[in-house]
Amino acid sequence: DDASVWTNVVAITGNVSYDNYIPLKATGRYVRMYGTQRGTQYGYSLYEFEVYGKPAANNCATPSNLYTTDVYETKATLHWDGNGASKFVIQYKTVTAVNWNETTSTSNSITLNNLSCNTPYLYHVQAVCNTTDSSDISASAGFTTLECDINCDPLPTRWSTQDIGDVGVAGSACYNSATGTFELKGSGSDIWDTQDEFRFAYKTIVGDGTIIAHIVDQDNTNEWNKVGIMVRETLAEGSRHAFVAITSGNGVAFQNRTVTDGTSNNYNTGAGVIKAPYWLKLVINGTTYTAYISPDGLNWTQVGDPVDAGFGNGEPVYAGLAITSHDNTALSTAHIDNYSLGGVLALKLISFKGSFTLSKTIALNWITTLDTRTKYFVVQRTKDNWNYTNIDTVVAETNGEFTKNYDATDYHPFQGINYYRLEIADVDGKISYSPIVAVRASNAKAPLMYPNPANTYVNIAPGTDQIKYISVYNIVGRTVLRIANANSQSIIKIPTYSLAKGIYLVEIRTANAVYRDKLVVAN
C-alpha cells in the first residue's frame, strides 16, 4: 500500500518461459516484480509487465491540509485533516534519507521527538478506516527543525550530517573552528552484521585518495561503541561501505559490507591497549579500501586485508566520520581532530546555503570551483518540495582557476518552509541539480540590528520573540563572539571595537526562529 513494505503474492524459481501468465488474488496500491537471481549472464530484460483486475473498494478519504506547529531543535508537532478517519499511519524522513520512518496516531496530530536539529524533514499521512480499507497516501509536507543549540560551530563548508538507520536518540555533529575539532554524538544498536544505525558527518567525494583522522577521545557508553572513518555508497541503511573504527573496550575494527543489505564483514584487533587517542587511516583505490592505525600519525600498521567493496571507482561516494553508541537508548560522544582528505576530487559545487534575514528575505549563497564548462545557474524554489519555480538566473563567471562566490535573494518567500535548488547548465546544454536547501520564513516581527555599518558597538533589539543568544562569525565561518541573553535584555549591545574592519555574519536565535544578516564593521 505504501511502496515501502511489500507482501509476496507468488514466487517463481527455475523459470524457463519467456511469457508468464500468473493468476493471483491480492489487494494493493503498488505491484512490483522483484528479481532475485538472473537466468542468464545478460541480466533482466522485461518487455512488458501488466496487471489486470478490478479496483478495490476505497471509501477512505485521503488526509489533507497538512501543517506543522511547535517546531524546535529536536521535536515538531504534525497536524492534518482526517476527513472522518480515526486512525492514521504517518511516515517521515529527512530530505536526504532514502527510507521512511513510520508511526501511528489515533488523532489528527502527533508530536515527533528525537529529531535531528537544523535538519529538513518530509512527512505524509495515510488514513486507516478499517482492516480492509485505507486511503491513498497524502501529498508530502515539510518542516525544518531549529538550529542546534550548542556551543559549537556549524560543520565546515560542504559537510552534511544525519542519522542513518532507526536510531533511538537523535545524534548531532558540529565543529570547533578554533581547535579544528569535530564533536560527534550518536546512538544506534550497532554498525555490524545487518545492523546499520549511527550518526554520520560526511561530504561527497570522487576518486582515489586517503582519509586520515585522529580520534581524540571517546566515552564509555558501551565497550563496543565505535567511532571512525566511513565511506558509503549511499545514505540508505544497508548500503555497501568500508569503516575503520576504534571502540571503548575492544580495540580497532575494520568493517565492510560488499553486498547491499547483506551481512558486514569484521576484522577486530581485540581488547588491549589500543584506545583513544589514536590515529586512523582509510585508503581508497578504485573499489578497494585498506585500513591502517597509528599511535602517532607517523608509523602506520595495516588492519586486516584490503577489501574490494564493489563501489567507488570514479563514482561519487559519501565519506566522513561515523559514531554509534551500541546502545540505542543512549548517545555516545567522541572528538576527532586532524581530519585530512587527500587525492580525491571535490565536486564542482562546493556549497549551497540559505538563510532568513532580518529584512525577511532569504539570502542564498553558493561556492563553485573547477567549473570551466558551467554557463549559468537557475535558482528554483518550491513550497511542496515537488513543483519548482524559477526565481533568478545567474551567469557563471569563474574560469575554473579559482573559487567563486555567488549570491541571490528571494525577496518574497512563502511563509513556512521554502525549498531551493540550483539548476546548473553547462555550455553543451546539459543540466544538473544541486542538493536541496530548506529555509523557514516566519511572519513574526524580526529583530532589529543598528547601526550597520558599525564602529565601537552594534545594537540588537528583539522582535516578536525574545532573543536567546547572538553569535558573530567572520568571513571564513569562525565564531568571534557569542553572547547569551541570560538576563532577557530588551536591547543587547555588542562591542565591535575589538573586531578587524570587514564583513561579518550575525546570527540571532530566538525560541522559534534563527535570523542571519551581514554586519559591516567600519572601525
Side-chain angles (χ1 to χ4, degrees):
D1 290 319
D2 59 4
S4 177
V5 178
W6 296 91
T7 300
N8 291 340
V9 179
V10 64
I12 297 176
T13 59
N15 182 55
V16 294
S17 175
Y18 289 98
D19 296 292
N20 296 96
Y21 296 90
I22 307 167
L24 53 87
K25 184 177 181 180
T27 301
R29 187 180 181 205
Y30 301 89
V31 182
R32 75 174 181 182
M33 190 291 295
Y34 181 43
T36 58
Q37 183 177 343
R38 60 191 184 189
T40 71
Q41 70 270 30
Y42 301 110
Y44 300 98
S45 298
L46 291 179
Y47 292 93
E48 286 183 302
F49 177 47
E50 298 182 350
V51 179
Y52 300 91
K54 296 180 179 180
N58 188 351
N59 300 313
C60 198
T62 304
S64 57
N65 299 325
L66 278 65
Y67 66 98
T68 314
T69 63
D70 300 321
V71 179
Y72 299 103
E73 284 95 340
T74 60
K75 70 177 182 178
T77 300
L78 317 181
H79 305 263
W80 58 88
D81 290 344
N83 300 322
S86 59
K87 184 177 180 181
F88 305 92
V89 176
I90 303 96
Q91 292 186 324
Y92 64 97
K93 70 180 186 70
T94 65
V95 169
T96 56
V98 177
N99 299 318
W100 294 86
N101 301 305
E102 186 171 289
T103 186
T104 60
S105 175
T106 54
S107 67
N108 290 14
S109 67
I110 188 172
T111 298
L112 301 179
N113 296 294
N114 291 324
L115 302 176
S116 297
C117 53
N118 192 27
T119 301
Y121 282 85
L122 296 174
Y123 72 98
H124 50 226
V125 184
Q126 181 181 37
V128 179
C129 295
N130 54 57
T131 56
T132 60
D133 191 10
S134 59
S135 75
D136 291 339
I137 297 174
S138 72
S140 292
F143 63 92
T144 296
T145 51
L146 292 184
E147 296 207 6
C148 308
D149 190 3
I150 52 178
N151 189 22
C152 190
D153 300 333
L155 291 174
T157 302
R158 291 184 58 240
W159 283 75
S160 300
T161 183
Q162 70 177 69
D163 287 315
I164 304 291
D166 188 17
V167 299
V169 185
S172 64
C174 64
Y175 183 72
N176 188 324
S177 56
T179 61
T181 303
F182 291 88
E183 178 181 281
L184 266 65
K185 295 179 180 288
S187 63
S189 297
D190 202 2
I191 307 172
W192 159 239
D193 196 25
T194 57
Q195 294 174 314
D196 214 7
E197 300 170 2
F198 60 98
R199 186 71 180 190
F200 193 30
Y202 62 90
K203 57 183 178 179
T204 308
I205 64 172
V206 179
D208 298 342
T210 299
I211 305 173
I212 296 175
H214 178 228
I215 310 301
V216 178
D217 57 49
Q218 177 183 27
D219 63 13
N220 193 27
T221 55
N222 186 285
E223 64 180 5
W224 275 110
N225 62 349
K226 302 182 181 80
V227 60
I229 302 170
M230 174 176 283
V231 179
R232 297 178 69 82
E233 182 179 25
T234 74
L235 297 175
E237 182 180 2
S239 166
R240 294 190 288 188
H241 67 256
F243 180 42
V244 56
I246 194 165
T247 70
S248 290
N250 289 285
V252 171
F254 179 38
Q255 300 178 182
N256 53 80
R257 180 180 289 121
T258 60
V259 177
T260 302
D261 293 326
T263 300
S264 62
N265 307 300
N266 179 64
Y267 176 89
N268 179 242
T269 60
V273 297
I274 300 179
K275 292 185 177 182
Y278 225 78
W279 292 76
L280 304 176
K281 179 166 68 174
L282 192 62
V283 177
I284 308 169
N285 184 13
T287 60
T288 300
Y289 299 82
T290 309
Y292 298 87
I293 57 175
S294 171
D296 54 14
L298 300 173
N299 301 293
W300 295 93
T301 302
Q302 185 172 319
V303 181
D305 296 324
V307 61
D308 186 345
F311 70 96
N313 197 29
E315 294 296 322
V317 297
Y318 301 93
L321 302 168
I323 186 171
T324 183
S325 63
H326 203 275
D327 179 351
N328 213 17
T329 65
L331 288 172
S332 180
T333 302
H335 295 89
I336 305 98
D337 65 10
N338 284 276
Y339 182 94
S340 65
L341 177 64
V344 299
L345 298 175
L347 297 183
K348 294 177 182 178
L349 185 66
I350 295 177
S351 70
F352 178 41
K353 297 180 179 180
S355 59
F356 192 42
T357 71
L358 298 179
S359 56
K360 294 194 174 183
T361 64
I362 290 179
L364 302 165
N365 170 264
W366 62 100
I367 302 172
T368 64
T369 190
L370 300 175
D371 56 350
T372 56
R373 301 187 60 78
T374 304
K375 188 175 182 180
Y376 60 84
F377 306 91
V378 179
V379 181
Q380 299 181 327
R381 181 188 66 192
T382 179
K383 189 175 183 180
D384 58 10
N385 203 27
W386 184 257
N387 299 298
Y388 281 88
T389 301
N390 298 344
I391 63 171
D392 199 1
T393 298
V394 179
V395 176
E397 299 178 14
T398 181
N399 61 11
E401 299 298 325
F402 56 89
T403 298
K404 174 66 179 176
N405 259 293
Y406 295 91
D407 294 286
T409 301
D410 184 358
Y411 292 98
H412 305 288
F414 299 116
Q415 292 300 313
I417 302 298
N418 294 260
Y419 298 95
Y420 299 90
R421 71 180 183 186
L422 297 175
E423 182 182 270
I424 306 169
D426 69 13
V427 293
D428 296 325
K430 294 180 180 179
I431 300 295
S432 61
Y433 293 93
S434 73
I436 296 170
V437 167
V439 183
R440 184 158 67 102
S442 170
N443 58 6
K445 181 181 177 181
L448 178 65
M449 180 170 65
Y450 65 94
N452 189 9
N455 52 35
T456 310
Y457 291 95
V458 64
N459 299 297
I460 309 291
T464 302
D465 300 321
Q466 185 67 47
I467 295 172
K468 292 177 65 178
Y469 64 79
I470 299 169
S471 300
V472 180
Y473 303 94
N474 63 18
I475 198 168
V476 297
R478 177 170 294 178
T479 304
V480 294
L481 286 172
R482 189 185 297 271
I483 300 175
N485 190 19
N487 299 321
S488 300
Q489 302 173 64
S490 57
I491 296 179
I492 302 172
K493 181 175 285 189
I494 300 175
T496 60
Y497 53 79
S498 61
L499 300 179
K501 182 178 179 180
I503 297 175
Y504 295 82
L505 179 69
V506 176
E507 178 183 282
I508 304 169
R509 182 188 296 273
T510 71
N512 298 302
V514 177
Y515 300 86
R516 295 188 186 91
D517 223 328
K518 291 180 180 178
L519 170 67
V520 178
V521 174
N523 292 337

